[in-house]
Amino acid sequence: MNVLTTLKDDRAFDAVLRPLYGPDAQPLSPDLGRAVVRNDSQETIAIAGPNFKPVQHREVINPIIDHFESRGYRLEERTPSRNSLYDLQGKKGAFIKSQFSDNGAVMRVDIITGDFLQPTGASVYLDDGPDTMLFKTSVFNSHNGSLAVRVVTSYERLICMNGLTRPDFSAGVYGKHTTNFNTTAMRAKIGNAMHGMTDDAERFGLWAKTRISVADAEKMLKQTIAKLPNKANGSPHFSEPLLNKILEQFRREDQTVWGLYNAVTHWQTHGQHKKGANALTTTIGRENKVANMLRSAQWKGLAA
């Protein structure tokens, strides 16, 4: 299945390299850079360096689509509602959500399957039943150098539609646009991440049973996700608006590590974007910040 031929976003194009031209209308040396051009509209969507090699969006996403189809998943391309995700739970199906920005230069495709987990051994029950997460694979590519070829796995929490960044990003696979990328490794990592869902369920269950205070959460956030470069005098510096926003959400959650995790990923997924900001790349940047927080000594100490 070539999923990009079905996209309503009309981004199934090839990115091709063309010369840059100087004021005298003469082509410049490729060492100075080249234009990345859409072959359908002939629009320039980026300026690339001399070693840049376009990796077409379909070259990245099609092997991942094939991976799921070959394992019997029924794929449907649309942005799913919460009810449709609840219906998907436990079934051999998947929703494909595609996002593009910068005139097609940046791509993100999320594949949410019916594979699910619930925190192990913890009494995390909501009005609609157990706290449930569905498995999600995210595929990234860009033609403007803003993103490397990238495949990562995470979860979608059904109660709030938060994207739950995996604590260790264990299924992350990266490739540069100056070298070949390994689709076999990408597919293998997805399979390994699915096999690791039991470990994640146990980890989430432990977090749900680990009580913390607002002061504990504040101290950790100041040292990680809300931290800014030190002031000129060397004193610590942090984003007070971001800190307050996450703590405000944390006060609505259980006072546990699990509650803090969900407060952080609520900001990651639903936090307001700055006026004029690119929503797609802003969300990706937030996901990277959450991943860095989860790898930090401060988080590990809180969650121990």
Side-chain angles (χ1 to χ4, degrees):
M1 172 184 178
N2 187 339
V3 65
L4 290 183
T5 63
T6 68
L7 290 181
K8 300 179 181 65
D9 201 86
D10 188 29
R11 297 299 194 242
F13 64 88
D14 279 349
V16 296
L17 297 175
R18 300 278 171 75
L20 294 173
Y21 290 87
D24 58 358
Q26 295 299 309
L28 301 176
S29 167
D31 291 339
L32 298 176
R34 292 165 296 174
V36 183
V37 177
R38 291 181 57 140
N39 72 332
D40 54 356
S41 65
Q42 304 306 311
E43 296 172 274
T44 297
I45 57 176
I47 304 299
N51 297 322
F52 180 85
K53 299 176 182 177
V55 177
Q56 309 305 338
H57 293 329
R58 64 176 178 277
E59 293 179 303
V60 182
I61 186 59
N62 284 353
I64 307 304
I65 296 295
D66 291 342
H67 169 85
F68 286 104
E69 285 194 324
S70 67
R71 284 155 179 76
Y73 287 86
R74 299 179 301 278
L75 305 177
E76 180 180 353
E77 193 202 340
R78 66 182 173 94
T79 300
S81 65
R82 182 184 299 168
N83 287 341
S84 61
L85 288 176
Y86 272 110
D87 291 340
L88 179 65
Q89 179 181 332
K91 297 177 182 177
K92 202 75 171 179
F95 289 108
I96 302 172
K97 176 184 176 182
S98 304
Q99 298 172 270
F100 296 86
S101 69
D102 300 304
N103 199 12
V106 180
M107 177 193 78
R108 174 182 187 147
V109 178
D110 293 321
I111 303 170
I112 304 173
T113 72
D115 304 277
F116 71 96
L117 64 77
Q118 295 158 349
T120 300
S123 299
V124 185
Y125 282 84
L126 309 166
D127 292 341
D128 296 325
D131 200 354
T132 302
M133 282 65 68
L134 296 184
F135 187 82
K136 179 166 71 175
T137 300
S138 300
V139 185
F140 304 90
N141 188 38
S142 74
H143 298 311
N144 60 8
S146 62
L147 295 174
V149 178
R150 184 179 178 196
V151 176
V152 300
T153 63
S154 59
Y155 298 101
E156 193 85 357
R157 189 184 186 210
L158 299 190
I159 187 63
C160 55
M161 303 290 280
N162 282 2
L164 300 185
T165 299
R166 284 173 64 94
D168 54 7
F169 258 29
S170 63
V173 179
Y174 302 84
K176 297 181 179 180
H177 287 86
T178 55
T179 58
N180 294 327
F181 63 98
N182 190 333
T183 58
T184 301
M186 291 178 177
R187 293 192 293 267
K189 287 293 185 180
I190 293 170
N192 291 339
M194 282 186 160
H195 290 309
M197 290 178 69
T198 300
D199 293 337
D200 283 339
E202 292 176 354
R203 181 184 294 110
F204 293 159
L206 177 62
W207 290 358
K209 290 183 286 188
T210 305
R211 305 290 300 181
I212 59 172
S213 66
V214 173
D216 293 331
E218 180 176 348
K219 180 179 179 181
M220 190 279 301
L221 292 169
K222 285 181 176 179
Q223 296 174 333
T224 57
I225 202 164
K227 181 176 173 58
L228 297 173
N230 287 347
K231 296 180 179 179
N233 63 5
S235 61
H237 189 36
F238 61 90
S239 170
E240 191 166 345
L242 175 55
L243 176 68
N244 291 338
K245 188 174 293 293
I246 295 175
L247 289 178
E248 179 183 356
Q249 181 63 33
F250 178 56
R251 291 185 177 95
R252 301 190 184 106
E253 305 275 353
D254 290 339
Q255 303 299 283
T256 62
V257 174
W258 177 246
L260 180 56
Y261 178 51
N262 284 293
V264 171
T265 55
H266 182 276
W267 162 77
Q268 166 197 298
T269 308
H270 304 295
Q272 186 175 3
H273 298 156
K274 293 181 180 179
K275 185 176 180 180
N278 183 303
L280 175 55
T281 54
T282 296
T283 299
I284 294 170
R286 289 177 178 179
E287 289 169 330
N288 286 330
K289 288 183 178 181
V290 173
N292 289 336
M293 180 197 76
L294 294 172
R295 290 193 290 265
S296 71
Q298 290 85 356
W299 175 266
K300 291 176 181 177
L302 199 66

